[in-house]
Structure formats: structure tokens, C-alpha cells
Amino acid sequence: YGPLIAGGLLRIRLELCVVESFFNEAVGPFIKENGLNWILPFHETVETFLAGTIFALATTFILVGSTKLIQIIAFYGDLVVGGPCRLFGGFFFDRARGQPVTLDVSFFGFFKTRLVGPPVDFKEEELKKALGEKDNVLDFDNVKPADVPLLAVSGGVKVVGEASKLFREFIEGLDLFVGRYLVLIASGYIILKFIHFKVFPDFP
């Protein structure tokens, strides 16, 4: 199984290297040498038109595939690291704050009920969330002195889990933007460059 494992990991690494080499070895040095005046210059030439068009097409092709790969890596990273950190860190963090143990279940978002813990009115909880009232995680009034180390460690673990979740959501949003809007933006930019080159070469 070694060749299969090594081949799969190498393929992932090569996909990431494509993005790195494109920006660090192709785009970065060119912008450093020529600046950004080729994006939409005062006078559109064949060279500036082709440079902008090829850049838009290459960026779209590379980012559409690469952001999906990064999104998958972020998802599995959050599943393996972030999820357990939020689960165990949040559990011990709430215990250190003196919060009761609760277990809520629901079926496809309906018939929500609490199996473990004090009874709660979920309609009232939803109303509080709609009004912006949330549980204050910085309320340490019920923390005992002996639970301060547990509070600090579990709080740090929970922060790692929440940071992993935010990173995953950011990458998912970036992937959605690239897949849905970057193609439209690149197409609009190429059309604008073409009109600027053929119709209004000296505008603005």
C-alpha cells in the first residue's frame, strides 16, 4: 500500500505547489517588475490585453481547483482536530463554570427535546437568540478556585476548536466565491478589456 499512499500525498502536494508557484514565481515577479498598470491601462495595447486576459483565465482555472482542495483539507482538519477540541474543551469548560450537563436531540431540526439536564423551553431559547441574547461565556461567578486550571486549559482547547471552525467556514466561503463568482468576474473583466482594446483604446 506504500506506493498508493505516497502517490496520493504527492498528488495533494503537487496541487498545492501549483498555486504557490503561480503566485510566487509567475505573478509576483511580474507585478514587482511591471507594476499593475496592465490591469486597465490608459492606452490598451495587444500586450496589455493579452496579459490581463491570460492572467484572468489562469487565475480562474487554478483557483477553482485549488480552493476546492484547500476546502477539503480544512474540512478534514476541522473534523479531526477542531471538532474534538470544541466537544471536549466545551464540555470541561462548561463544567468548570458550573454549568449543568445537557444533551439535546432533534429530528431534522424538528421535535427538539432535552434528554439530559434541566428542562428548557426551546421556543423561548430561540426567541432569545433572535433578540441577540446569548449565553455569556465570560461569566465566571460560579467558578471555584480549584477549577481555575481546568477552566484555563479547557478554555484554550475550546478556542483552538472555534478557531478551526472559523478557518473552515472562511475557506468554504472562499471556495463558494471562487466557484460561483470568480468566473463571472473574470469573464466580465475580459469583456471589459476587449471593449477597451477595440472600441475605446485610449479611455479613460
Side-chain angles (χ1 to χ4, degrees):
Y1 303 102
L4 176 62
I5 297 172
L9 294 177
L10 178 62
R11 193 62 191 173
I12 294 175
R13 175 57 182 163
L14 289 176
E15 290 291 338
L16 296 176
C17 285
V18 169
V19 183
E20 181 183 358
S21 63
F22 176 69
F23 286 102
N24 293 340
E25 300 176 10
V27 178
F30 181 81
I31 292 178
K32 186 177 181 180
E33 181 179 351
N34 299 279
L36 297 173
N37 56 358
W38 51 272
I39 295 179
L40 196 61
F42 289 104
H43 178 70
E44 196 78 62
T45 64
V46 176
E47 291 80 6
T48 57
F49 171 72
L50 291 177
T53 301
I54 297 302
F55 172 76
L57 291 174
T59 303
T60 303
F61 275 105
I62 291 174
L63 289 183
V64 165
S66 300
T67 53
K68 179 62 66 177
L69 176 64
I70 297 174
Q71 188 265 333
I72 293 173
I73 294 175
F75 172 79
Y76 281 110
D78 183 59
L79 181 66
V80 174
V81 178
C85 286
R86 290 192 298 272
L87 178 63
F88 294 105
F91 177 83
F92 289 106
F93 184 75
D94 289 341
R95 301 298 78 73
R97 292 172 55 224
Q99 299 294 321
V101 179
T102 59
L103 176 61
D104 301 330
V105 295
S106 63
F107 300 96
F108 303 103
F110 302 98
F111 309 108
K112 193 172 184 180
T113 183
R114 173 160 292 180
L115 299 180
V116 178
V120 64
D121 188 349
F122 288 105
K123 292 183 178 180
E124 183 178 348
E125 292 294 323
E126 292 294 334
L127 181 60
K128 289 182 179 180
K129 288 182 180 180
L131 296 176
E133 298 181 10
K134 297 181 179 179
D135 180 29
N136 187 10
V137 297
L138 299 179
D139 183 11
F140 303 139
D141 294 337
N142 297 326
V143 178
K144 300 177 182 179
D147 294 333
V148 172
L150 176 62
L151 180 73
V153 173
S154 60
V157 173
K158 184 178 180 180
V159 167
V160 171
E162 294 296 334
S164 174
K165 179 181 178 181
L166 290 176
F167 177 74
R168 174 180 58 81
E169 291 177 346
F170 169 76
I171 295 299
E172 289 176 348
L174 178 64
D175 179 61
L176 177 63
F177 168 79
V178 169
R180 179 176 296 179
Y181 302 110
L182 183 60
V183 176
L184 297 177
I185 294 174
S187 301
Y189 171 72
I190 293 173
I191 294 173
L192 179 62
K193 291 279 286 186
F194 181 78
I195 294 175
H196 192 199
F197 173 60
K198 283 293 186 181
V199 182
F200 305 106
D202 297 317
F203 181 82

